[in-house]
Each structure stands twice: as C-alpha cells, then as structure tokens.
Amino acid sequence: MHTHTLQNSFKSLGITDLVLTPGASFRYLSGLSMHASERLTLLFVNKSGEKSALLPELEAESARSADLLHIETYRDEEGPLRALRNLTQKMGFTSETVLGYEAQTIRMFEYQALTGASEVTFRAADDALTAIRLIKRDDELAKIRRAAQIVDGALERSLPLFKVGMTELDVAAELEYQMRKLGSEGTPFATIACAGPRGALPHGGPTLSEIKRGDLVVLDYGAKIDGYAADTTRTVSFGVPSEEALSIYEVVKMAQAAAVNAVKPGAVAQDVDRAARKVIQKAGLGAYFTHRTGHGLGLDVHEYPSMMEGNELILAPGMVFTVEPGVYLPNKFGIRIEDDVCVTEAGVEVLTQFTRELHVID
C-alpha cells in the first residue's frame, strides 16, 4: 500500500527519490523511532519503495528490525559526510536525481549535508506524505484507541486527588503520572493545566500558581502508544463556578456536540468547524473562539486534516482528528472541551469518552 501510493506520488511530483529526517513520516515508512539531534540521521526511499538509511553507529542495532536495502553508519569522531557520500553513491544519485523532502521538518543542517554529498535537485513532497498518512489503518486505530482509553483513565484517577490550593504544575504532574501508570510511553506534547485567568491562554503552560476556589482549570493533555497520540481537553471547576462560567460552559458543550454530530463520511471538513462556530456565535461569543475546531491526529499530535474554514476536504472513513471548540475571556477564564474522533462508514466514533459535564471539585 505504501509503495504503490509513493510510486504514484513520485510520478506526479517528478521526484526520483525521497529523503526523510526523524519524525512521524520517517517512523511511518521505516518503523524506526528516531529523534532529530546533532547527529545526522536520514531515511531514503527510491521509486521502487526500497529504503536506505544513514545512521549514527550507536543507532545501528535499533535499525536491525527495519526493512532497509542499505545502511551506512558513522562514528561521532569521524562525522557523517563520508558515510553519506557512500550511501548516495550506492543509491545511484546523480545530477539528474530529484530528491523529495518534507519542508516542514528538514533543517538547514540536513540540507547542507545533502548538498555537500551529492549534486541533486530538491522538491517539496509534504502533500504526498500527508496523503499517505491521512487514512489510518486498523492497527493505527487500535493504538489511538488505547491512548484514548489512557487519557480517560488518567483523569478519572486524578480528579479525586485534586484540591484547591494545588499548583497548576501539581495538577499537570498528577495527570502525567497516572498516564504513565496506565501504560503511556510519554506525552506527545507539554501538558496544559491553566487556572482562572490563565485558562484564557489556549496554549498556556502550567506554573507554580496556586489554584483558587472558584477557578476553572483547562486540562489539555495526551498519551502515546507506540508513537500514536491521543489528545483531550476537559475544563474542571475547583469549587463552585460563577453563573457566567456555568452559562458559557454549556455553550461550549453544545458547540462541541454540534461539531461531533457534523462528522460523517462525505461531510466537508470546514462544516465541522462551522457547526461549532455557529453555536458560539449565536451566544455572542464568536470573538472569543480564536482557533480552528480540530486537527488531525496520529504519529503527530498535530497533523492533517484541519477542521477549519476554507478546508474543503471530503471526510472519509479512517480519518482521525480532534473536535475542540473553546471560549477564552481575557483576564477571566477559558473553557475548552476536546475529544478525538474517527470517521467511520456509519458516521463517527468518539474515541475519548470521559464525561463532558462540568466536574466540580469540592
């Protein structure tokens, strides 16, 4: 499946080979989990689907399980250039080679090494790689479902432990600890736990600020299983919330439900966003919903497709993304509810199942 899709992409893009740096597409095509660092690490794929890799010697053992045609390794003290030249010669690179790359992940570090080792032409191939990863296989879905179960379970375990007076960092650490206990291999992004006025920062990080009675706390956190992410948000109240907070919470909950209900095969991505935005705008809060309604989910916690105005992608079974409208009132509070969903033949499967009712912590 991968090879056939790549072959079509090679032809349409006019590329002869593909180079990938460590990240989601590198892992998707090789099965190897590598991290971008000061050590040059590259995966090459030719038009026949054969894969070769340049690796630091300390990673050679990790690559034994991968289906690689060629492996060239180097030691730290010698550097990668000789090994890279050997590999490009084995792969038959010439001045006629057109090398596809991911513009969003390649660094000048890798680009300079590649141009120093061979005379090739470069062409961006991001859209082709996006298309390959867009529809999740059954094994991918199983991993995302397991990660979703973990984020649900972590919150269920953590809520009884939350108390007024804890810091935002205390709350974030407890969630992360419980996810680890349940089997998450780590967090796919920095946990968000923002209380009171800081909840109006959609991507705020946790601090040593103490949570006060009556604060709404936005909890945005994720788990990983074999690289695949779940990403969820719940907003909880430490003590009885204000009437304004209760009212707006209901608006966000209705907007989120409307967006989830809009998910089905044949629907248009932007219509999911419109469904949520319509509810929030009707309540007079449209100016305070400042981001897209959702983003794709898989080996990257933010990948295609985006649920936003202007995206006319037709939804199809196997697409996985978040649905996460929010309202953020500066200097007051923020509210966001986020679930992970999968488009199915029959409609939609909601992967994260923790209640969307407002939880009040005594």
Side-chain angles (χ1 to χ4, degrees):
M1 176 181 170
H2 299 162
T3 302
H4 175 71
T5 306
L6 277 174
Q7 286 174 327
N8 292 343
S9 299
F10 275 41
K11 185 176 180 180
S12 63
L13 289 170
I15 62 176
T16 58
D17 297 84
L18 179 69
V19 62
L20 296 171
T21 56
S25 293
F26 187 113
R27 183 168 185 169
Y28 186 83
L29 289 175
S30 70
L32 297 174
S33 177
M34 300 287 176
H35 301 283
S37 71
E38 77 282 4
R39 294 184 173 102
L40 189 66
T41 304
L42 299 169
L43 176 72
F44 295 92
V45 186
N46 66 22
K47 61 185 177 182
S48 298
E50 297 168 327
K51 305 174 187 70
S52 302
L54 173 77
L55 301 171
E57 190 171 285
L58 80 166
E59 300 288 5
E61 188 66 28
S62 301
R64 290 188 184 278
S65 62
D67 180 20
L68 298 173
L69 180 64
H70 302 295
I71 300 177
E72 285 287 332
T73 65
Y74 63 92
R75 298 179 66 87
D76 288 346
E77 60 268 25
E78 66 177 325
L81 192 55
R82 180 190 59 81
L84 179 57
R85 285 176 175 156
N86 288 343
L87 184 56
T88 56
Q89 288 173 5
K90 287 180 180 179
M91 295 182 66
F93 281 16
T94 69
S95 59
E96 302 298 314
T97 297
V98 181
L99 194 58
Y101 67 97
E102 281 188 294
Q104 293 189 33
T105 61
I106 196 168
R107 300 173 295 177
M108 186 59 70
F109 168 57
E110 288 102 1
Y111 176 80
Q112 288 176 332
L114 286 162
T115 54
S118 59
E119 295 182 6
V120 299
T121 300
F122 290 88
R123 188 163 296 164
D126 298 68
D127 289 348
L129 290 161
T130 291
I132 292 167
R133 291 168 49 200
L134 181 60
I135 304 297
K136 302 300 187 283
R137 305 181 307 266
D138 288 346
D139 63 302
E140 294 178 283
L141 289 173
K143 293 167 186 175
I144 299 172
R145 286 190 186 100
R146 177 63 189 133
Q149 290 171 352
I150 287 174
V151 295
D152 284 347
L155 185 56
E156 183 176 3
R157 289 184 174 198
S158 297
L159 283 174
L161 305 174
F162 292 164
K163 304 293 180 186
V164 172
M166 293 177 74
T167 68
E168 294 171 336
L169 280 167
D170 290 333
V171 168
E174 189 60 52
L175 280 169
E176 291 176 5
Y177 173 68
Q178 295 298 341
M179 287 190 291
R180 282 286 198 179
K181 292 271 285 183
L182 288 167
S184 177
E185 62 193 33
T187 56
F189 57 93
T191 300
I192 294 171
C194 289
R198 298 194 69 260
L201 304 173
H203 280 170
T207 69
L208 287 170
S209 175
E210 290 188 1
I211 300 171
K212 301 176 179 63
R213 188 166 298 280
D215 277 351
L216 293 184
V217 182
V218 178
L219 305 173
D220 189 341
Y221 61 102
K224 285 197 301 182
I225 292 293
D226 197 20
Y228 286 84
D231 174 10
T232 191
T233 306
R234 290 295 185 266
T235 303
V236 300
S237 184
F238 280 60
V240 179
S242 67
E243 289 299 320
E244 180 184 32
L246 282 171
S247 175
I248 294 177
Y249 187 92
E250 288 302 310
V251 172
V252 174
K253 187 175 73 170
M254 288 189 294
Q256 205 258 354
V260 170
N261 289 337
V263 177
K264 59 184 177 182
V268 180
Q270 69 180 2
D271 289 342
V272 177
D273 180 81
R274 288 174 177 178
R277 213 163 290 277
K278 181 179 179 181
V279 175
I280 292 173
Q281 288 173 340
K282 185 178 179 181
L285 298 165
Y288 304 107
F289 179 13
T290 54
H291 55 74
R292 62 192 171 185
T293 292
H295 57 80
L297 196 62
L299 283 170
D300 276 324
V301 74
H302 280 194
E303 57 183 53
Y304 201 68
S306 292
M307 300 300 111
M308 65 182 184
E309 185 65 30
N311 186 1
E312 298 181 350
L313 175 75
I314 304 300
L315 301 184
M319 293 182 183
V320 178
F321 49 87
T322 67
V323 177
E324 51 177 304
V327 169
Y328 311 94
L329 299 184
N331 302 313
K332 286 189 174 183
F333 55 79
I335 297 169
R336 181 164 67 251
I337 302 171
E338 174 185 18
D339 283 308
D340 304 336
V341 304
C342 177
V343 183
T344 68
E345 295 286 352
V348 60
E349 176 187 358
V350 181
L351 306 176
T352 40
Q353 287 292 317
F354 197 86
T355 180
R356 292 146 202 94
E357 299 300 321
L358 180 62
H359 185 91
V360 179
I361 295 166
D362 294 331

